[in-house]
Amino acid sequence: MNRSSAESAEQRVRELREEIAEHNHRYYVLNDPSVPDAEYDRLMRELESLERSHPELVDPDSPTQRVGARAAEGFETVEHEVPMLSLANAFDDDEVREFDRRIRETLDIETVVYTAEPKLDGLAISLRYKSGRLVRAATRGDGRAGEDVTANVRTIRAIPLRLRVEDAPDTLEVRGEIYMTRSGFAELNRGLEGEGGKTFVNPRNAAAGSLRQLDPTITAGRPLRFFAYSAIVDAESAVAGLGDGQQAALARLAELGFPVSSMARRARGLEALLAFYREVQEARADLDFDIDGVVYKVDDFDQQRELGYVSRSPRWALAHKFPAEEEVTRLERIDVQVGRTGKLTPVARLEPVFVGGVTVTNATLHNLDEIRRKDVRVGDYVIVRRAGDVIPEVVRPIVEKRTESLPEWELPTHCPVCGSHVELVEGQADARCSGGLVCPAQRKRALEHFAARNAMDIDGLGTRIIDQLVDNERVGDPADLYRLDAETLAGLERMGEKSAANLVSAIDASRRVSLARLLFALGIREVGEVSAGALARHFRDLDALMDADVESLEAIRDVGPVVARHIREFFDEERNREVIASLLENGGEWHVEQAPEAGEQPLKGNTYVLTGSLENLTRSEAKARLERLGARVTGSVSKNTTAVIAGSDPGSKLDKAEALGVDVLDEAGLEALLSSSGD
Ligand code: IVH
């Protein structure tokens, strides 16, 4: 090989390494990828091939060398030069107030400037850099000594192997949290399950398990991420790091090439801390990673030094915890519920437990397979999880607490409501009641769905009334609702004349309805709000849709082959056609508002942000309805936001909207927007 080709290879290798490092930085640190994955892979392959043909150019910090080491026998214990401490916890506002008061008193100042950050639910890590290169990574361990996991940490692409700037301190220790994204966790578990392997309980366990693999090639395949939250330059002084305060340190860490949380911010005084807590709590469910609270830190390093430490934690910092999303309680019984399509769902009846901010007594167990897979048995102590406004679920039993031998749970062979036999669909986890048209449970749930707010929106027609109407055989299908009179309704339990009259007018008012809502209300299997909207826009009237063949249904976006088949089967069923005909003919008043022009999405191009709580609908309902009309719903306000929809107790998103001059709608404004857009 001649000299110039060796030189140009060296040149190209350098360029590729820089370019790849830049792409990594944009992807993991700035959250702003600049090239598609395929382009990134192409650059990596080119670099690998050059390094293969020029072995003299291989460098341990090349992006191709992240998985360098072979599988280890075990991890070495390494001591932390500066102990890794823990944080004092607060569980309510009063404890935060007390923390702020003590600091003001000690420092003898009026208002404290803090940095407020999310508290990431992963595992703490210490990263040591020497002359700009990552030389050691250690877990927290007991705080004094942890395990050397350098080979594994090197595989995490969010962690720079080399610092990005020339003038970095010669020795630098960066601390932060290694975590796994929720989406990465779900994908990992799906993969493990597919291979018949053991799955992880939550992203934190998955992150810890992945980091403690003896073989770094396994760690390399796991979706681990990192956020930096502190730096130590001078081991002697123990506090301190880069710059003169926490804000400055975070900014400097970002310059050095580390991901830092974009949610971290300066907060002046107690009220700002509490506002931050509420804002992060509100954003929590929408994040792609778990957080278990927020952390408040006195910003100024001199003030931190003055405050010092008490036992194992700094006096200048506090973790303000969110209500736990997981708790342990006892499984008392498993009941089976019958859904509107006959699907049987086992429901766990639990000893009441406070979790995710509410008292939970029921949790879903999904299906029989899930019960078997998790090996949940009546009498077990179980971990219950409730995150955001999602339905609580049983995560797993604590098998070690099982004192007696408990029998496995068996699926009933007959529907607990109508006694029809239970069908198990080959290859599917679901069991169904076969009593389609006769099963009162299915009818009740179908009517509930029909009357729901996001369907026909019949105010006052709730579970209790529907149950009575079906049990008394007053109502069998949705069309029967429109034959009810006030007298019949007034005869129901706990129903006065006034509410009966109100209900009749609510039923009456629902005769004017958009095609999208009617389609959704019919409860065709797997036709949700979004696909109902797509069908209505495409066909524009019900007759055309009822006669459509599977091919033309499949051609619509948002409608896959399975949904297309369900739609066809639904309209092929003579009983269903009769109910629809009777719905449309009833009283001659029925009015299905035409859907907007085909393909037209009235709110397309608009972006909304929801904040605070709405009275008449949940945030996820509001989101689904806006999206059905083509709008985007995002979690953070920017100048591109069309409007912020603010319910009661809005967070700082409202302030931000006002600061940016973004429109603000209240709940009535939202209703008006939806109905004027054809919802
Ligand atoms: S600061 C002196 N900031 O919480 C303590 N810790 O109990 C310095 N954690 O194990 C820690 N997010 O891993 C700090 N933004 C954050 C954090 C955070 C999560 C973890 C940390 C530590 C535990 C403290």
Side-chain angles (χ1 to χ4, degrees):
M1 182 190 314
N2 63 39
R3 227 182 105 112
S4 73
S5 97
E7 268 172 18
S8 69
E10 188 178 351
Q11 167 75 14
R12 182 66 187 145
V13 162
R14 212 174 17 243
E15 279 169 15
L16 284 165
R17 287 179 187 158
E18 273 172 28
E19 200 175 337
I20 291 168
E22 188 57 33
H23 291 320
N24 268 339
H25 184 69
R26 297 208 40 163
Y27 189 90
Y28 291 102
V29 181
L30 305 178
N31 253 324
D32 179 24
S34 46
V35 291
D37 290 357
E39 171 66 6
Y40 180 91
D41 293 343
R42 199 187 59 71
L43 296 172
M44 279 292 271
R45 275 198 306 275
E46 188 187 344
L47 179 59
E48 275 162 7
S49 135
L50 275 171
E51 287 177 348
R52 249 196 318 275
S53 41
H54 298 270
E56 73 282 6
L57 297 179
V58 173
D59 177 303
D61 293 343
S62 167
T64 58
Q65 303 300 307
R66 281 195 174 261
V67 189
R70 290 181 198 293
E73 306 260 297
F75 299 106
E76 261 179 54
T77 305
V78 286
E79 246 172 67
H80 297 297
E81 232 168 277
V82 177
M84 292 182 81
L85 304 179
S86 54
L87 294 167
N89 290 323
F91 296 93
D92 60 34
D93 291 4
D94 281 345
E95 290 175 290
V96 181
R97 190 165 293 120
E98 180 53 24
F99 163 75
D100 178 62
R101 193 198 57 74
R102 243 183 297 126
I103 291 173
R104 283 186 291 115
E105 195 178 275
T106 313
L107 298 177
D108 193 21
I109 54 174
E110 288 267 316
T111 314
V112 186
V113 174
Y114 297 95
T115 293
E117 303 168 13
K119 184 169 189 300
L120 303 147
D121 200 6
L123 49 140
I125 195 90
S126 140
L127 306 172
R128 189 188 289 168
Y129 288 80
K130 187 90 188 112
S131 310
R133 300 182 55 215
L134 174 67
V135 292
R136 197 192 77 183
T139 60
R140 177 171 183 275
D142 63 5
R144 288 179 203 287
E147 286 176 322
D148 185 332
V149 287
T150 313
N152 287 341
V153 164
R154 285 175 55 89
T155 69
I156 301 173
R157 286 203 259 159
I159 294 178
L161 297 177
R162 288 200 181 177
L163 300 177
R164 278 174 66 82
V165 296
E166 299 292 323
D167 60 341
D170 187 55
T171 30
L172 172 70
E173 185 181 333
V174 172
R175 290 180 176 180
E177 199 86 350
I178 287 180
Y179 66 97
M180 192 178 283
T181 57
R182 289 177 178 161
S183 47
F185 163 74
E187 197 179 322
L188 171 65
N189 263 359
R190 270 197 300 276
L192 290 171
E193 207 172 314
E195 294 161 10
K198 210 167 142 31
T199 54
F200 290 103
V201 194
N202 57 37
R204 178 161 46 82
N205 285 16
S210 300
L211 196 64
R212 292 197 79 265
Q213 291 290 332
L214 292 173
D215 180 356
T217 54
I218 299 184
T219 312
R222 299 285 171 82
L224 294 175
R225 295 293 187 94
F226 175 69
F227 272 132
Y229 53 66
S230 74
I232 300 167
V233 177
D234 172 6
E236 292 302 298
S237 70
V239 198
L242 311 163
D244 52 9
Q246 177 67 4
Q247 284 285 310
L250 291 178
R252 183 69 176 147
L253 279 167
E255 276 170 21
L256 293 173
F258 295 94
V260 294
S261 169
S262 60
M263 288 191 278
R265 95 150 67 102
R266 180 184 302 272
R268 275 179 60 88
L270 175 69
E271 290 311 318
L273 296 182
L274 299 178
F276 180 80
Y277 177 86
R278 281 188 261 284
E279 183 187 332
V280 175
Q281 190 173 27
E282 197 180 292
R284 186 183 189 191
D286 297 329
L287 299 175
D288 194 26
F289 48 87
D290 282 353
I291 54 178
D292 57 353
V294 295
V295 184
Y296 309 133
K297 300 172 184 171
V298 171
D299 187 75
D300 186 288
F301 287 153
D302 286 335
Q303 292 180 346
Q304 288 190 3
R305 264 184 285 268
E306 194 176 335
L307 288 156
Y309 296 80
V310 51
S311 69
R312 314 274 309 127
S313 42
R315 279 207 195 86
W316 45 264
L318 183 72
H320 190 179
K321 303 288 281 276
F322 293 139
E325 290 185 326
E326 288 186 357
E327 280 297 346
V328 174
T329 190
R330 202 180 168 103
L331 174 62
E332 292 180 333
R333 203 169 75 240
I334 297 177
D335 286 343
V336 173
Q337 273 179 357
V338 186
R340 71 181 156 85
T341 58
K343 187 178 154 192
L344 303 186
T345 308
V347 179
R349 306 292 181 201
L350 306 164
E351 205 166 274
V353 61
F354 191 74
V355 52
V358 298
T359 300
V360 167
T361 47
N362 303 319
T364 177
L365 284 162
H366 301 291
N367 54 45
L368 180 65
D369 270 14
E370 186 97 348
I371 297 180
R372 288 277 185 274
R373 194 170 58 73
K374 292 179 176 166
D375 189 25
V376 181
R377 303 179 187 195
V378 172
D380 267 334
Y381 284 92
V382 292
I383 296 176
V384 178
R385 179 175 174 82
R386 179 186 177 273
D389 42 11
V390 303
I391 300 168
E393 65 165 348
V394 172
V395 180
R396 66 181 171 93
I398 303 184
V399 181
E400 309 79 69
K401 280 192 124 182
R402 201 178 269 166
T403 47
E404 45 195 313
S405 66
L406 302 171
E408 283 194 357
W409 185 77
E410 299 290 343
L411 187 75
T413 53
H414 290 84
C415 172
V417 178
C418 72
S420 300
H421 75 270
V422 167
E423 288 171 349
L424 278 171
V425 188
E426 221 4 72
Q428 275 188 20
D430 293 344
R432 286 178 191 283
C433 156
S434 60
L437 296 169
V438 296
C439 180
Q442 292 190 44
R443 275 201 241 143
K444 288 173 182 172
R445 301 297 77 84
L447 285 162
E448 239 173 74
H449 172 80
F450 183 82
R453 214 152 37 208
N454 49 351
M456 303 298 276
D457 193 18
I458 306 178
D459 203 21
L461 190 60
T463 311
R464 204 167 41 83
I465 294 171
I466 290 175
D467 286 357
Q468 291 185 65
L469 289 170
V470 174
D471 292 341
N472 301 344
E473 297 183 12
R474 292 284 179 190
V475 171
D477 63 48
D480 293 338
L481 292 172
Y482 296 90
R483 300 189 190 100
L484 287 171
D485 54 32
E487 211 175 308
T488 314
L489 287 171
L492 299 177
E493 270 171 42
R494 285 192 278 168
M495 182 73 137
E497 266 174 34
K498 179 116 178 42
S499 1
N502 287 344
L503 184 50
V504 169
S505 29
I507 293 173
D508 217 35
S510 75
R511 289 173 204 263
R512 288 188 82 80
V513 70
S514 68
L515 181 56
R517 275 174 173 266
L518 177 65
L519 284 176
F520 174 64
L522 290 174
I524 305 167
R525 267 174 73 182
E526 307 210 17
V527 174
E529 288 179 81
V530 172
S531 36
L535 289 165
R537 281 191 298 278
H538 186 87
F539 289 100
R540 313 210 54 223
D541 81 24
L542 192 54
D543 287 336
L545 168 60
M546 284 171 60
D547 294 334
D549 57 23
V550 171
E551 289 71 40
S552 51
L553 289 166
E554 270 185 46
I556 304 171
R557 245 190 74 197
D558 294 319
V559 178
V562 178
V563 185
R565 218 183 51 237
H566 287 321
I567 298 172
R568 203 49 267 148
E569 280 169 7
F570 183 89
F571 290 119
D572 281 341
E573 168 64 53
E574 198 47 43
R575 267 288 294 152
N576 290 337
R577 282 184 174 263
E578 280 167 25
V579 171
I580 292 169
S582 141
L583 263 176
L584 296 175
E585 279 156 21
N586 199 316
E589 286 180 63
W590 200 276
H591 178 92
V592 175
E593 279 170 28
Q594 281 243 316
E597 281 298 313
E600 183 193 316
Q601 292 197 300
L603 299 182
K604 198 175 165 71
N606 291 2
T607 308
Y608 298 92
V609 173
L610 297 160
T611 181
S613 41
L614 301 169
E615 210 148 277
N616 291 316
L617 59 175
T618 65
R619 289 232 297 270
S620 57
E621 280 169 355
K623 182 166 186 270
R625 286 169 66 180
L626 286 163
E627 285 174 349
R628 178 166 70 179
L629 298 164
R632 258 173 30 98
V633 177
T634 66
S636 61
V637 183
S638 77
K639 61 181 189 333
N640 298 326
T641 307
T642 313
V644 166
I645 294 156
S648 54
D649 284 332
S652 66
K653 288 176 191 169
L654 181 59
D655 304 334
K656 187 146 182 214
E658 278 159 5
L660 291 173
V662 169
D663 281 348
V664 176
L665 297 179
D666 60 7
E667 186 160 355
L670 169 65
E671 285 297 345
L673 172 71
L674 291 170
S675 62
S676 67
S677 308
D679 176 55

